[in-house]
Amino acid sequence: GLFQSLADGIKLLGKEDLIPKDADRLMFRLAPYLAFAPVFAAFVAMPFGPQMTFEPRLSTGLFLILAMLSLEVMGVILAGWASNNKWSVYGAMREACQMVSYEIPLGISLIVAVMVAGTLNLVLASHIQGGGIHTWLIFRNPFIFAAFFIYFVASLASNKRAPFDLPESESELVAGFHTEYSGLRFSFFFFAEYAAMFIVGGIQAALFLGGWHDPFGLMGYYHRQFTANPDDVNVAGLVLLNVIGAAIFITKAAGIMYVQMWLRWTLPRPRIDQVLYACVKVLLPMSCA
């Protein structure tokens, strides 16, 4: 299954691209790009390694990522509305409800970690966790440990992942907001969802799970050694360190993606009113506490 996404992309490239007769053609065409582009723009601030990132120039990288991810909902609502299909409109409205609801506990749970790290820069937040697994923010105190799981649940709803996949629930809405999409335009929604899964996993890895650091603190130790003398930086060592760091970071983010996929086949889908109840009366008070 490693090349499933690549095979799907090639298959969808060759499929016929249809636009319903009564759809709003301009908005129908614009929606996939609004869903696709912001998610991939968020990769700019992902801290893959101490030097393998653009974020040293971005003092508020986390804020940028959240701002980019919040734009995706515009593409989903536009897709549902422009399709001129009742199933699509239902899916779009459900996504609007979920996004408005779950972004609040998601943001609050991240603020908990940001207050401890003292920065919105994910590179600096990762450097703080370079002393080994005991310095990772998730183990700093019980409140951050709880915030980690609140963020994970809220991110599932934010990404339309099961059990919160109400905007595209096949058993009720055919395919929800992208019912009328086919070919390459459908693939944009497909790839945007999986890219967003990696992004939220990357945020968790950077803010809570030590970023590119290993559990033994070796990455932090060698980075300090290679950069101790500004006049004689070990370039070869730094390149190798960044490659290993990127592999560790991607492994952590992919592990969180694996759990998201695993839950898809494990948990049943709740009703939309239960989804909103879980946010407003369960996650929101927990995140505030």
Side-chain angles (χ1 to χ4, degrees), residues 103-118:
E103 280 220 331
I104 302 168
L106 184 143
I108 293 173
S109 58
L110 286 178
I111 287 170
V112 176
V114 166
M115 287 173 70
V116 173

Side-chain angles (χ1 to χ4, degrees), residues 223-241:
H223 184 262
R224 289 190 295 273
Q225 294 298 313
F226 294 155
T227 58
N229 185 359
D231 299 323
D232 186 25
V233 174
N234 188 335
V235 177
L238 268 183
V239 169
L240 180 62
L241 195 77

Side-chain angles (χ1 to χ4, degrees), residues 87-88 90-91 94 166-176 179:
W87 305 123
S88 300
Y90 273 132
R94 285 181 175 186
L166 275 298
E168 52 189 67
S169 51
E170 297 86 357
S171 56
E172 304 165 45
L173 304 182
V174 188
T179 298

Side-chain angles (χ1 to χ4, degrees), residues 72-83 85-100 160 166-169 173 175-179 272:
E72 186 196 359
V73 69
M74 301 302 295
V76 171
I77 294 172
L78 207 60
W81 179 257
S83 296
N85 178 312
K86 288 185 175 64
W87 305 123
S88 300
V89 173
Y90 273 132
M93 292 304 104
R94 285 181 175 186
E95 168 67 356
C97 287
Q98 279 189 200
M99 197 73 172
V100 168
K160 310 179 291 294
L166 275 298
E168 52 189 67
S169 51
L173 304 182
F177 64 91
H178 55 63
T179 298
I272 186 66

Side-chain angles (χ1 to χ4, degrees), residues 91 94 98 102 156-157 160-178 193 262-276 278:
R94 285 181 175 186
Q98 279 189 200
Y102 278 87
L156 287 176
K160 310 179 291 294
R161 294 299 299 178
F164 305 108
D165 58 341
L166 275 298
E168 52 189 67
S169 51
E170 297 86 357
S171 56
E172 304 165 45
L173 304 182
V174 188
F177 64 91
H178 55 63
E193 181 176 332
W262 175 23
L263 288 176
R264 183 178 183 85
W265 308 113
T266 308
L267 299 176
R269 183 186 296 126
R271 297 193 312 266
I272 186 66
D273 61 306
Q274 293 170 331
V275 169
L276 298 179

Side-chain angles (χ1 to χ4, degrees), residues 119-141:
T119 179
L120 284 167
N121 187 311
L122 292 177
V123 175
L124 292 179
S126 298
H127 278 303
I128 291 166
Q129 305 171 73
I133 193 169
H134 63 283
T135 62
W136 292 4
L137 290 189
I138 189 173
F139 301 119
R140 285 287 180 95
N141 62 57

